[in-house]
Amino acid sequence: MKLTCKELYEFMGDYLEGNLPDDVMCVMKTHLSRCPCCEHYLENYRTALRLGVSCCNEYAEDEVPASVPEPLIQAILEARKKK
Protein backbone atom coordinates (compact mmCIF):
# COMPACT_ATOMS: atom_id res chain seq x y z
CA MET A 1 0.00 0.00 0.00
CA LYS A 2 1.25 3.47 -0.88
CA LEU A 3 -0.27 6.85 -0.04
CA THR A 4 0.00 10.06 -2.00
CA CYS A 5 0.52 13.28 -0.07
CA LYS A 6 -3.11 14.23 -0.65
CA GLU A 7 -4.32 10.87 0.68
CA LEU A 8 -2.08 11.26 3.70
CA TYR A 9 -3.68 14.63 4.50
CA GLU A 10 -7.12 12.99 4.55
CA PHE A 11 -5.98 10.54 7.25
CA MET A 12 -4.09 13.09 9.37
CA GLY A 13 -6.67 13.44 12.15
CA ASP A 14 -7.11 9.70 12.54
CA TYR A 15 -3.34 9.26 12.43
CA LEU A 16 -2.80 11.67 15.31
CA GLU A 17 -5.55 10.03 17.34
CA GLY A 18 -4.15 6.56 16.65
CA ASN A 19 -7.40 5.49 14.99
CA LEU A 20 -5.93 3.81 11.91
CA PRO A 21 -5.35 0.13 11.22
CA ASP A 22 -1.75 -0.92 11.87
CA ASP A 23 -0.92 -1.33 8.19
CA VAL A 24 -2.14 2.19 7.33
CA MET A 25 -0.35 3.62 10.37
CA CYS A 26 2.88 2.00 9.19
CA VAL A 27 2.46 3.42 5.66
CA MET A 28 1.77 6.87 7.13
CA LYS A 29 4.89 6.73 9.31
CA THR A 30 7.02 5.61 6.38
CA HIS A 31 5.66 8.36 4.13
CA LEU A 32 6.20 11.00 6.81
CA SER A 33 9.79 9.86 7.36
CA ARG A 34 10.52 10.30 3.64
CA CYS A 35 8.49 13.40 2.78
CA PRO A 36 9.60 16.68 4.38
CA CYS A 37 6.53 18.50 3.02
CA CYS A 38 4.14 16.09 4.73
CA GLU A 39 6.20 16.15 7.91
CA HIS A 40 5.92 19.95 7.89
CA TYR A 41 2.17 19.68 7.21
CA LEU A 42 1.82 17.32 10.19
CA GLU A 43 3.59 19.78 12.49
CA ASN A 44 1.35 22.61 11.29
CA TYR A 45 -1.71 20.40 11.76
CA ARG A 46 -0.66 19.61 15.33
CA THR A 47 -0.08 23.29 16.02
CA ALA A 48 -3.49 24.22 14.63
CA LEU A 49 -5.18 21.60 16.81
CA ARG A 50 -3.28 22.74 19.91
CA LEU A 51 -4.17 26.39 19.26
CA GLY A 52 -7.80 25.53 18.63
CA VAL A 53 -8.03 23.63 21.90
CA SER A 54 -6.30 26.40 23.81
CA CYS A 55 -8.71 28.98 22.38
CA CYS A 56 -11.67 26.89 23.43
CA ASN A 57 -10.27 26.42 26.92
CA GLU A 58 -9.26 30.05 27.41
CA TYR A 59 -12.67 31.12 28.69
CA ALA A 60 -15.10 29.38 30.96
CA GLU A 61 -18.24 28.38 29.07
CA ASP A 62 -20.30 31.06 30.82
CA GLU A 63 -17.65 33.72 30.35
CA VAL A 64 -17.84 35.50 27.01
CA PRO A 65 -15.58 38.48 26.30
CA ALA A 66 -17.49 41.75 25.83
CA SER A 67 -15.88 42.19 22.40
CA VAL A 68 -17.73 39.17 20.94
CA PRO A 69 -20.75 40.34 18.92
CA GLU A 70 -24.11 39.09 20.17
CA PRO A 71 -25.16 37.72 16.73
CA LEU A 72 -22.06 35.52 16.74
CA ILE A 73 -22.88 34.20 20.20
CA GLN A 74 -26.42 33.39 19.13
CA ALA A 75 -25.20 31.64 15.96
CA ILE A 76 -22.85 29.46 18.00
CA LEU A 77 -25.60 28.57 20.47
CA GLU A 78 -27.95 27.66 17.62
CA ALA A 79 -25.27 25.49 16.01
CA ARG A 80 -24.72 23.65 19.29
CA LYS A 81 -28.44 22.83 19.49
CA LYS A 82 -28.26 21.11 16.07
CA LYS A 83 -25.60 18.62 17.21
Side-chain angles (χ1 to χ4, degrees):
M1 174 193 234
K2 190 174 181 183
L3 291 175
T4 66
C5 295
K6 185 178 179 183
E7 290 169 327
L8 182 129
Y9 298 161
E10 293 173 11
F11 290 111
M12 197 67 67
D14 289 328
Y15 172 78
L16 289 174
E17 292 175 4
N19 292 334
L20 292 173
D22 290 341
D23 60 329
V24 178
M25 188 69 83
C26 183
V27 171
M28 294 272 296
K29 287 179 182 178
T30 300
H31 183 108
L32 288 164
S33 71
R34 296 179 180 166
C35 183
C37 291
C38 287
E39 185 177 24
H40 183 70
Y41 184 90
L42 174 64
E43 289 309 311
N44 286 336
Y45 193 92
R46 280 186 175 130
T47 299
L49 290 174
R50 188 177 64 251
L51 291 172
V53 167
S54 70
C55 287
C56 291
N57 292 332
E58 188 173 332
Y59 300 102
E61 193 163 315
D62 296 334
E63 181 184 332
V64 178
S67 61
V68 177
E70 186 61 28
L72 177 58
I73 295 169
Q74 293 308 314
I76 293 169
L77 293 173
E78 284 300 314
R80 283 185 174 178
K81 289 179 187 177
K82 294 178 181 179
K83 281 186 177 182

